[in-house]
Every structure is written in C-alpha cells, then in structure tokens.
Amino acid sequence: LSVYDFQKRSSLIEVSEAGAQKLGRIASVLAHGEGLQAHARAAEMRLK
C-alpha cells in the first residue's frame, strides 16, 4: 500500500459553450444507451 491507495483523484475539464452543447447531446445518447436515465436527463438539462 502507498499514499496513492488512499487518495481520490479528480479531473477538471473546461469546454466552450458550443463544445458543451455538442458534448451534451452525445452524452445524453450514450447515457440512454447504457440505461442511465438520470445521467441522460442531467446532460439534457444543460442544453439550451
């Protein structure tokens, strides 16, 4: 065991408004395909 076994790592990702619109639609389709309805709705709520 090491210190890394007890740490949680997170990534921060920044995208433009246009990029978020495109990725949100893709994320929604993927989430629906995987049966993750709440994730799909969360992505859809972020779309304008």
Side-chain angles (χ1 to χ4, degrees), residues 9-25:
R9 296 183 188 183
S10 301
S11 297
L12 298 177
I13 300 170
E14 186 175 330
V15 296
S16 66
E17 179 69 28
Q21 293 299 311
K22 184 174 183 177
L23 292 174
R25 286 192 276 296

Side-chain angles (χ1 to χ4, degrees), residues 1-47:
L1 290 176
S2 71
V3 172
Y4 297 110
D5 294 311
F6 299 97
Q7 289 183 331
K8 179 179 179 181
R9 296 183 188 183
S10 301
S11 297
L12 298 177
I13 300 170
E14 186 175 330
V15 296
S16 66
E17 179 69 28
Q21 293 299 311
K22 184 174 183 177
L23 292 174
R25 286 192 276 296
I26 294 168
S28 174
V29 170
L30 290 173
H32 276 296
E34 294 179 356
L36 303 172
Q37 304 310 319
H39 285 281
R41 284 194 306 273
E44 291 162 3
M45 290 176 67
R46 289 173 172 79
L47 300 174

